[in-house]
Amino acid sequence: MSEIWIFAEQRDGVITKATLELLSEGQILADKSGYTLCAVLLSADDSDLLQLLYNYGAKKVYSAVDPKLSYYQNDYYAKVIADLVKENKPEIILYGATSVGRSLAPTVAVMVDAGLTADCTELDFDTEEMLLTQTRPAFGGNIMATILCPNHRPQMSTVRPNVFKKTEIGTKEKGEKIAVKADLSSIKDRMRMIEETHEESDAIDLSEAEIIVSGGRGVGSKENFAIIDALAKEIGAGVGASRATVDAEWIAHFHQVGQTGKTVCPKIYIACGISGAIQHLAGMQSSDLVIAVNKDPEAPIFGVADIGVVGDLHAIVPELTKQIKASKS
Amino acid sequence: MNIAVCIKQVPDSDKVTIDRETNRLNRVGVPSVINPFDENALEMALQMKEQYGAKVTVITMGPPQAEQALREAISVGADEAILVTDRKFAGADTWATSYTLSMVVKKAGDFDLILFGKQAIDGDTAQVGPGVAHFLDIPVVTYVKEAEKTDTGYKVKRVTEEGYQIWEVDGTAAFTIVKEANTMRLPSLKGKMRAKSAPITTWGAEDIGAEDAKIGLNGSPTIVRKVFAPPIKTNRETIDNEDVTQAVKELVGKLKERKIL
């Protein structure tokens, strides 16, 4: 029976949201292709993780448990997955396009001669050719490309977080654990993480944020970012920024959205005072719903907006915060 | 120290045309620059050169005109430049590109460190750095912001979604560099002069001993089925009301309609 594998990414012993989204999308592909949906989990302890993967549709979980697999270490992770691929020959493997998936998948791809398509925003299964169709933006989002991998297996993709919806099938789903004997002794010990810091722990990670409020040059100053922060706080959103504001040092690069910043894909993106340079659009235009606030009705940002509000953000944004607050009470 | 920096020449403008016949990108006539992230990799190499003493070699695979990117790299301080160009490389995906660059690095000499930008802004794949590292059997750390030499190798700071990680890496290594690392210096007048006349080593597929089956289209597991313009949003709703309270009420109404609030 052919299989679709989802790389189950765990960080500090917690399965990431991106993994659950991939399982849900994998389920759709499994239904179309007739393949079996499986997860691949590398961890130091899988006891609290397996059930969640079953609940999101994994029929089988290939689970490698070893203290050395507690965090993503490219040599160990890539070797374990490459060995599993060679033994089990899955048709498809999906990874989250995270700092882990985007580093691990390319290594696995060259180890097993697989094709790899980065940063997909759309997946489908062509039942005539029995191929995964992988669609992704390129050239800063100016074009979309659909990529196939006709003659190599597995067909691998990294997939942007937040593109697919996660759907839990049940809370007590049954699945099968395949215990993987990971032989890590043969791997050279040549790299190790010695420290990890979670900075800006109160800042929401933009790549996984469901809502982002972003400020651009129109915000005007470092101090004025407070109104962006206030709206974000009110609606539980992450704070984004255009390159111009980062260059002006109004806000840290951590928040930058766009070609040289982060690529984000939230459910709602609220662009405040952002004109919409192509480099910025590249980082956010696959958001589900784009709301733009700008005083220039000709601003390019309106070209990608679902709802455009023409006006001064300094008046509109605080009023929006106020009205949302009022509607809650 | 011997440092290699792999760079890519990318279109400067967003005006990239597509060859509808072949579904390939037509880069001819589009102004080109060094991929912005590769500038960060190059600057990191130049800073290490100043700190530890090093020879910096820039390598690019591309059409003959990619020589311009190498000359630009020389103008800011790179010591040597290698252009790998061959019609046989055309159509290479990241697998074939990784293989090709690894063969170049092997032929070019004994490097202590190989640097890449975190990704190229045209393809945005971020795959070539890890790919090359595997072919060379060296460890790779991605999204590196800072790197220092140690007795046994390197200590680097890696940027993650949540913050930072510090990694120790032994021996020769590959890193992919993020934008936060630095800003590339400007060329000096002397550098510009040198860049004009500096020799550029040019190699083809045979020179690097690449197997035909592993380069260009032949060596690429992935193919582009189609390229298309992203769908344009046609049903945009506009709120244009000078009364701010009313405008925001309208907006809140629309958000409620969509069950967002």
Side-chain angles (χ1 to χ4, degrees):
Chain A
M1 186 72 167
S2 303
E3 295 179 342
I4 299 179
W5 288 6
I6 306 299
F7 170 66
E9 183 181 339
Q10 56 85 16
R11 291 199 189 183
D12 301 322
V14 178
I15 300 286
T16 60
K17 187 168 137 262
T19 303
L20 305 179
E21 293 165 1
L22 287 183
L23 280 166
S24 300
E25 177 65 13
Q27 185 65 58
I28 296 168
L29 297 172
D31 290 343
K32 284 189 182 170
S33 60
Y35 299 161
T36 306
L37 182 64
C38 308
V40 179
L41 175 64
L42 280 61
S43 67
D45 178 5
D46 65 3
S47 45
D48 292 335
L49 309 178
L50 295 168
Q51 188 59 48
L52 186 64
L53 300 173
Y54 301 148
N55 290 346
Y56 277 84
K59 299 284 176 293
K60 272 193 218 173
V61 177
Y62 293 91
S63 179
V65 176
D66 192 292
K68 285 178 175 168
L69 300 175
S70 64
Y71 63 89
Y72 156 67
Q73 198 268 23
N74 198 56
D75 289 338
Y76 296 145
Y77 269 47
K79 173 75 161 55
V80 171
I81 295 174
D83 285 350
L84 273 174
V85 167
K86 285 174 194 161
E87 197 184 320
N88 299 283
K89 303 191 169 35
E91 283 288 319
I92 295 169
I93 310 181
L94 309 180
Y95 307 73
T98 63
S99 64
V100 173
R102 277 168 67 85
S103 309
L104 171 64
T107 308
V108 175
V110 289
M111 287 174 89
V112 302
D113 293 351
L116 174 62
T117 305
D119 242 5
C120 297
T121 53
E122 200 183 317
L123 297 174
D124 201 355
F125 192 82
D126 182 330
T127 49
E128 260 172 50
E129 297 187 71
M130 293 302 277
L131 288 175
L132 179 69
T133 62
Q134 310 160 93
T135 300
R136 66 183 305 267
F139 281 85
N142 280 322
I143 62 162
M144 301 293 290
T146 300
I147 313 282
L148 298 181
C149 175
N151 303 316
H152 290 68
R153 291 293 176 274
Q155 309 162 78
M156 307 209 304
S157 321
T158 63
V159 179
R160 279 194 192 166
N162 280 338
V163 171
F164 300 122
K165 301 214 171 352
K166 63 183 175 84
T167 315
E168 195 173 28
I169 293 172
T171 54
K172 290 172 184 157
E173 296 300 306
K174 287 198 165 57
E176 182 190 357
K177 171 179 163 172
I178 315 282
V180 177
K181 269 198 154 172
D183 178 20
L184 303 176
S185 58
S186 65
I187 303 169
K188 276 179 256 175
D189 170 28
R190 56 186 187 180
M191 60 191 295
R192 62 208 73 84
M193 184 168 74
I194 54 171
E195 196 185 314
E196 179 157 35
T197 317
H198 288 196
E199 275 203 355
E200 303 218 24
S201 52
D202 54 342
I204 294 174
D205 171 19
L206 292 185
S207 53
E208 290 218 349
E210 297 215 340
I211 311 177
I212 293 172
V213 183
S214 246
R217 205 190 298 266
V219 171
S221 69
K222 187 173 183 170
E223 292 68 34
N224 284 351
F225 250 94
I227 62 172
I228 304 292
D229 289 338
L231 174 59
K233 204 172 162 207
E234 188 57 41
I235 56 179
V239 174
S242 71
R243 180 178 174 166
T245 64
V246 174
D247 285 351
E249 296 183 354
W250 298 347
I251 188 163
H253 182 263
F254 181 85
H255 298 276
Q256 188 183 323
V257 172
Q259 204 161 47
T260 51
K262 292 193 166 86
T263 300
V264 299
C265 192
K267 303 264 184 291
I268 308 168
Y269 189 90
I270 308 177
C272 308
I274 292 178
S275 64
I278 189 74
Q279 291 79 1
H280 187 78
L281 302 184
M284 49 63 72
Q285 63 189 0
S286 48
S287 307
D288 273 4
L289 181 86
V290 176
I291 300 169
V293 181
N294 204 299
K295 61 182 178 194
D296 174 10
E298 303 299 319
I301 189 76
F302 286 124
V304 299
D306 299 278
I307 304 176
V309 185
V310 182
D312 182 6
L313 74 95
H314 298 95
I316 289 167
V317 174
E319 178 63 25
L320 181 58
T321 311
K322 196 175 117 194
Q323 288 195 22
I324 290 173
K325 195 176 243 169
S327 75
K328 279 187 191 165
S329 56
Chain B
M1 223 187 151
N2 234 337
I3 308 174
V5 185
C6 294
I7 66 174
K8 183 179 188 183
Q9 191 181 47
V10 296
D12 185 16
S13 113
D14 42 81
K15 303 273 179 288
V16 175
T17 56
I18 300 157
D19 186 328
R20 299 275 169 192
E21 292 282 296
T22 59
N23 269 351
R24 286 225 222 100
L25 296 161
N26 186 3
R27 296 172 194 222
V28 180
V30 179
S32 298
V33 291
I34 296 177
N35 173 46
F37 297 110
D38 299 347
E39 291 189 353
N40 302 118
L42 178 55
E43 177 62 27
M44 183 175 279
L46 296 173
Q47 287 178 12
M48 291 180 110
K49 175 181 168 178
E50 286 160 355
Q51 197 174 350
Y52 307 112
K55 188 175 90 177
V56 175
T57 304
V58 279
I59 298 171
T60 197
M61 177 180 115
Q65 60 266 31
E67 181 185 323
Q68 190 47 44
L70 295 173
R71 295 209 179 274
E72 205 184 319
I74 293 169
S75 76
V76 291
D79 300 291
E80 285 190 16
I82 303 169
L83 171 66
V84 205
T85 189
D86 199 312
R87 295 187 83 89
K88 287 181 177 175
F89 295 141
D93 74 357
T94 56
W95 198 107
T97 304
S98 301
Y99 168 77
T100 306
L101 285 174
S102 74
M103 296 302 283
V104 178
V105 169
K106 279 179 192 168
K107 182 182 164 93
D110 267 336
F111 291 105
D112 303 290
L113 182 62
I114 302 157
L115 300 179
F116 302 82
K118 82 159 182 178
Q119 65 196 50
I121 58 162
D122 50 357
D124 286 327
T125 71
Q127 289 169 3
V128 169
V132 172
H134 172 71
F135 282 119
L136 297 173
D137 190 21
I138 58 174
V140 58
V141 183
T142 51
Y143 305 106
V144 168
K145 186 186 174 198
E146 293 164 18
E148 60 180 89
K149 235 170 103 60
T150 62
D151 292 342
T152 51
Y154 303 92
K155 192 168 143 188
V156 300
K157 190 173 188 180
R158 175 176 192 260
V159 182
T160 68
E161 287 87 347
E162 298 97 0
Y164 296 103
Q165 298 171 339
I166 307 293
W167 284 77
E168 267 175 9
V169 187
D170 305 334
T172 299
F175 305 140
T176 74
I177 312 302
V178 295
K179 187 200 171 213
E180 299 98 301
N182 53 50
T183 304
M184 193 174 80
R185 63 195 63 191
L186 294 169
S188 62
L189 192 61
K190 207 173 129 198
K192 280 184 180 169
M193 295 297 286
R194 195 173 99 75
K196 274 186 194 156
S197 56
I200 306 266
T201 305
T202 305
W203 289 337
E206 269 183 35
D207 298 313
I208 58 170
E211 292 173 46
D212 279 354
K214 294 183 176 176
I215 58 173
L217 269 180
N218 288 340
S220 300
T222 59
I223 57 163
V224 178
R225 171 186 266 187
K226 62 170 179 174
V227 175
F228 56 101
I232 297 164
K233 289 185 174 168
T234 48
N235 53 347
R236 172 166 42 104
E237 301 175 58
T238 303
I239 300 168
D240 195 350
N241 190 332
E242 281 189 15
D243 182 337
V244 171
T245 315
Q246 279 309 318
V248 172
K249 261 189 189 154
E250 262 185 73
L251 175 60
V252 169
K254 288 183 193 302
L255 296 180
K256 282 183 175 159
E257 264 170 45
R258 290 174 160 86
K259 301 203 170 20
I260 288 164
L261 286 177

